[in-house]
Amino acid sequence: MVKQMLAFLLLCALLLSLGACGKAQPVTQTPETPSASGTPESPAEPEPPTEPVEPDVPQEEEPGFTPGTLEYTAPAQRREVKNILLIGNSFSYSLVEELYALGKEAGYELNVCNLYKAGCTVIEHWSWLSDPEKGQGKYGFWVTNSKGWNKVLVDTSIQEALAYAEWDVITLQQHFAPKTSKIYAVAKNSCTPYVQNLFDYLKANFPDADLFWYETWAYEVGHSEVRKVDVQTKQYKSIQQVSWELCRENDVPMIPAGDAWQIARNDATVGDDLCKDDKAHDGEEGGGQYLNACVFFEVLFGKSCVGSTWRPTYALPEEKIPGLQQAAHEAVAAIYGENYAK
């Protein structure tokens, strides 16, 4: 009986021990450490996942380009040059009086004519040339000669202007604004195929005229689209490349005004203030108009502008003139050779 009792007590003790092991143990919480203000600090927010960093995408490189030289003889070295026509916009509108005066000083009696529409592009020139009805009344036409500077055709067409005289020289130009980082592509697309169409038409209808592409210039640093020198340089290089490609594709020579501007800008006596106050158009007192006329003069007549004693009537600083003349001469010599304009 005693043995049975002891066995029963041992069994009860074993069951009580197993029940205690199955109960959950209480969790002891550590009190929060108060902050300096006495308020418990909030638990730190988990850091957001790190965004993947996009690798730098290299800018598209412009096509490789090297300026060249041209074998060419100035029109006035081959025959008489009297009637000159500049087809363009405000970038060819303002140099005609200076060109006439430089020619007169050298013994030439000229009619320097300008077919002008503000902001006009080669796309519009071709559109209005190929569709005469659409092109009626689009232009003004000015003539500079011994009678002064006069508007002789009002609200005219490109057809009427081309019929005005027997042309010895005809030039085309385009205005290239730096509206995008891909200036070269924009500039080239704005000219193709319209420049070729225009030159083909002029070659077929004016076989005795010398045809030129007139290379324009980069804006002045400080223009709203040209805040830095490197932007100006890129604009110039793009204009230069497009101009050379158009000359090669159409077998026409160049009037390298844009090159002369960059040379002049690096001359301490000239500097980067060749423009009007808008920092885009060629200025009078800044010297841009005079510089452009000097480049035209050397290319068309094969004579050096260096040492010219003619001076504009506006207040172009005398100390700038030697640098402007030399810049024009260097730009022409770089393309046509040192013996081209003497």
Side-chain angles (χ1 to χ4, degrees):
M1 183 68 178
V2 174
K3 291 181 179 179
Q4 291 175 343
M5 238 357 222
L6 288 173
F8 176 75
L9 290 172
L10 287 171
L11 178 61
C12 288
L14 178 62
L15 290 172
L16 287 171
S17 175
L18 290 172
C21 290
K23 290 182 180 179
Q25 298 297 317
V27 177
T28 303
Q29 293 186 344
T30 303
E32 293 180 350
T33 304
S35 65
S37 63
T39 305
E41 292 182 353
S42 300
E45 292 289 333
E47 292 187 4
T50 305
E51 293 287 337
V53 178
E54 292 290 336
D56 289 335
V57 179
Q59 293 293 320
E60 180 182 337
E61 299 248 346
E62 306 293 6
F65 164 71
T66 304
T69 58
L70 294 173
E71 291 290 333
Y72 193 72
T73 304
Q77 300 296 317
R78 293 183 269 108
R79 55 183 171 78
E80 181 183 9
V81 169
K82 182 175 179 64
N83 298 318
I84 300 169
L85 174 61
L86 287 71
I87 299 175
N89 50 39
S90 55
F91 278 55
S92 59
Y93 174 77
S94 52
L95 65 90
V96 291
E97 291 181 277
E98 291 87 341
L99 178 56
Y100 170 79
L102 289 170
K104 184 177 181 180
E105 180 190 38
Y108 300 99
E109 193 56 53
L110 304 174
N111 294 307
V112 183
C113 305
N114 178 230
L115 181 66
Y116 163 82
K117 179 175 174 57
C120 197
T121 65
V122 291
I123 298 174
E124 292 169 309
H125 291 316
W126 175 246
S127 174
W128 298 334
L129 181 60
S130 58
D131 187 344
E133 185 175 345
K134 186 188 299 184
Q136 285 298 318
K138 296 294 186 180
Y139 298 91
F141 183 79
W142 282 260
V143 176
T144 302
N145 54 24
S146 58
K147 298 178 181 179
W149 181 61
N150 297 289
K151 190 173 186 177
V152 297
L153 296 175
V154 180
D155 297 330
T156 189
S157 67
I158 191 170
Q159 289 83 1
E160 290 177 293
L162 288 170
Y164 183 82
E166 293 184 6
W167 300 109
D168 301 304
V169 170
I170 303 174
T171 71
L172 294 175
Q173 52 94 183
Q174 176 81 315
H175 163 227
F176 301 112
K179 294 181 179 178
T180 171
S181 61
K182 295 185 183 299
I183 303 171
Y184 165 80
V186 173
K188 190 63 186 292
N189 289 340
S190 73
C191 293
T192 308
Y194 314 103
V195 170
Q196 181 177 343
N197 294 344
L198 287 163
F199 275 128
D200 286 349
Y201 178 92
L202 294 172
K203 288 175 183 179
N205 290 277
F206 301 90
D208 296 328
D210 279 65
L211 308 179
F212 291 87
W213 178 255
Y214 167 26
E215 177 203 48
T216 54
W217 55 90
Y219 290 0
E220 186 176 316
V221 174
H223 185 278
S224 60
E225 297 179 39
V226 183
R227 297 293 189 185
K228 298 179 181 179
V229 173
D230 60 341
V231 179
Q232 181 191 75
T233 301
K234 181 165 185 176
Q235 186 190 9
Y236 160 61
K237 289 292 187 182
S238 298
I239 293 170
Q240 183 190 46
Q241 178 170 347
V242 172
S243 295
W244 268 103
E245 290 179 359
L246 292 172
C247 288
R248 288 165 174 161
E249 290 165 5
N250 294 283
D251 193 24
V252 296
M254 186 193 304
I255 297 174
D259 295 349
W261 277 59
Q262 290 305 107
I263 295 169
R265 282 167 166 154
N266 291 318
D267 187 320
T269 66
V270 179
D272 189 24
D273 63 343
L274 296 161
C275 295
K276 295 180 179 178
D277 290 342
D278 65 4
K279 301 186 183 300
H281 291 86
D282 48 342
E284 293 182 344
E285 290 81 359
Q289 293 181 16
Y290 179 79
L291 176 58
N292 289 336
C294 286
V295 178
F296 265 79
F297 174 79
E298 288 215 354
V299 173
L300 300 186
F301 299 101
K303 293 186 177 181
S304 176
C305 67
V306 177
S308 169
T309 58
W310 175 80
R311 297 293 183 267
T313 56
Y314 46 81
L316 175 59
E318 182 65 29
E319 62 269 19
K320 276 192 168 188
I321 290 178
L324 294 169
Q325 292 177 348
Q326 187 61 35
H329 187 69
E330 289 182 20
V332 173
I335 293 178
Y336 299 103
E338 292 291 338
N339 295 321
Y340 181 86
K342 293 183 177 180

